Amino acid sequence: MNELLHQGLAQLGLIPPPGAVEQMSQYAQLLLEQNKVMNLTAITAPDQVARLHFLDSVALLGCTGDLGGKSLIDVGTGAGFPGIPLKLMAPQLQLTLLDSLAKRLDWLEGVCTTLGIAGVDFVHARAEEQGLNPAFRDHFDFATARAVADLRVLCELCLPFVKVGGKFLAMKAADSQDELDLAQRAITTLGGRRLEDDTYAIPGTDVVRRVAVIEKIAPTPKQYPRRWAKMQKAPL
């Protein structure tokens, strides 16, 4: 896996810090072992884990630039993607992992301890509730989401966390143009402005990823995010 990761990072034009690739490999081993008893990933072939989890995650660095000293919240982090791979590539990143399932966060905290990763906060909460917390609202340089959800809903969940001048990065499929266009009203309502999308091919695959890059240009109105049922029933 180390060689595959080195090759993929080189294809993406990324230079990993010393030891980062070895940490990714160890993380992958821990993931596949834990996946036997906890539903963390449907991808279980080691080469596909390397490509579709790790290389896909770190390719976001093409949108963020240098993350050193920046803050990022990974909303609905699941098994820790893209947050932890980004942290491994940018050790000075202040990372917050938010998830609604405590068992996942407990496991991720153990992974970070095992890998010697510091500077990570673990928040057990629902995004629509935590986004109303003044300590988290308009606070982060970046928010990321890899969840399979409508972009209108993702914007309402994630943009409240982003400070003015920061960005929300929504990882989408290449054929998501209609969905992205439909989200324009939500983006504007929530204080965002859509910048040019970033697209990349995941090395070693035929998968093309599209990242919706949304800049926060005004504070999110205080009535957002709404309750989950309301977001689902009447997306912006």
Side-chain angles (χ1 to χ4, degrees), residues 11 25 29 35 97 107 113 116 126 133 211:
Q11 289 179 48
S25 293
Q29 292 171 1
N35 201 56
L97 301 177
W107 177 73
T113 299
R126 294 185 62 87
N133 184 329
V211 182

Side-chain angles (χ1 to χ4, degrees), residues 202-216:
I202 302 174
T205 77
D206 58 1
V207 177
V208 176
R209 172 74 77 185
R210 185 172 193 164
V211 182
V213 181
I214 301 165
E215 182 184 22
K216 185 81 168 278

Side-chain angles (χ1 to χ4, degrees), residues 126-132 157 161 225-228 231:
R126 294 185 62 87
E128 68 272 22
E129 296 171 358
Q130 198 67 16
L132 297 172
L157 291 173
F161 291 112
R226 298 167 295 165
R227 294 181 181 275
W228 175 252
M231 278 188 268

